[in-house]
Amino acid sequence: MARVDPYKNFRFLVEIDGITQAGFSECRGFGSEVEVIEYREGGEPTAVRKLPGRAKFSNFTLKWGVTDSRELYDWHRAVLQGQIQRKRGAIILLDDAGTPKLRWVFLPRSYTPLVVNGRIGLGSRLA
C-alpha cells in the first residue's frame, strides 16, 4: 500500500520571523490597488491628469492548515489577552517536489484577526 503523506497537500507555508510555522492547502486574497487622483492644471482646463495616489493592500486568507507547532496559536492567544505582537512573515508557495517557488512577504503593519478552527480527521482525508 502506498504511503499517504498529509503534508504533501499543503503547498503554502507560513514563515514568521524566519521560522516555518504551518502548511496550508489554500491561499486567497493577494492583491493591491493604487487609487487615482485626478488633477486639473489651471492653464489647461479641458485636460485632466491622473496621478497615482494611496496604495491599498487586501488581507490574505489561509485555509485548511496543518502544523505541529503551537506558536501561531500562542500568538493569537496573546492578542486575545491584549498583547499585540507585530511580526514579519512570508507565505511560500511550493512546487510538487516541495521546492520553494514564490515568496510573498508581509510586514508588521497592523493586526488582522486570526480565526482558529479545529478540524477532525476522517480516514485518509481531513474534514
Side-chain angles (χ1 to χ4, degrees), residues 15-120:
E15 181 182 274
I16 296 177
D17 289 340
I19 301 169
T20 302
Q21 297 297 331
F24 291 85
S25 63
E26 187 177 327
C27 186
R28 295 182 182 187
F30 289 111
S32 63
E33 175 184 337
V34 178
E35 292 179 353
V36 176
I37 299 171
E38 294 187 355
Y39 174 74
R40 288 181 40 183
E41 290 187 29
E44 198 174 337
T46 59
V48 176
R49 301 197 188 278
K50 296 188 179 197
L51 303 172
R54 184 179 67 161
K56 294 194 281 185
F57 300 92
S58 60
N59 295 330
F60 56 86
T61 303
L62 297 160
K63 292 184 176 183
W64 305 108
V66 66
T67 185
D68 56 4
S69 168
R70 287 187 46 100
E71 191 165 338
L72 281 175
Y73 175 75
D74 291 342
W75 183 26
H76 174 64
R77 189 169 170 209
V79 170
L80 291 175
Q81 296 170 351
Q83 305 164 1
I84 297 176
Q85 306 164 8
R86 291 179 170 84
K87 298 186 179 198
R88 181 183 181 98
I91 296 173
I92 304 161
L93 173 66
L94 304 177
D95 66 5
D96 286 337
T99 306
K101 288 298 178 184
L102 291 172
R103 175 183 293 262
W104 294 274
V105 175
F106 55 90
L107 302 174
R109 307 248 176 191
S110 62
Y111 179 77
T112 302
L114 172 67
V115 178
V116 179
N117 291 322
R119 298 290 177 206
I120 300 170

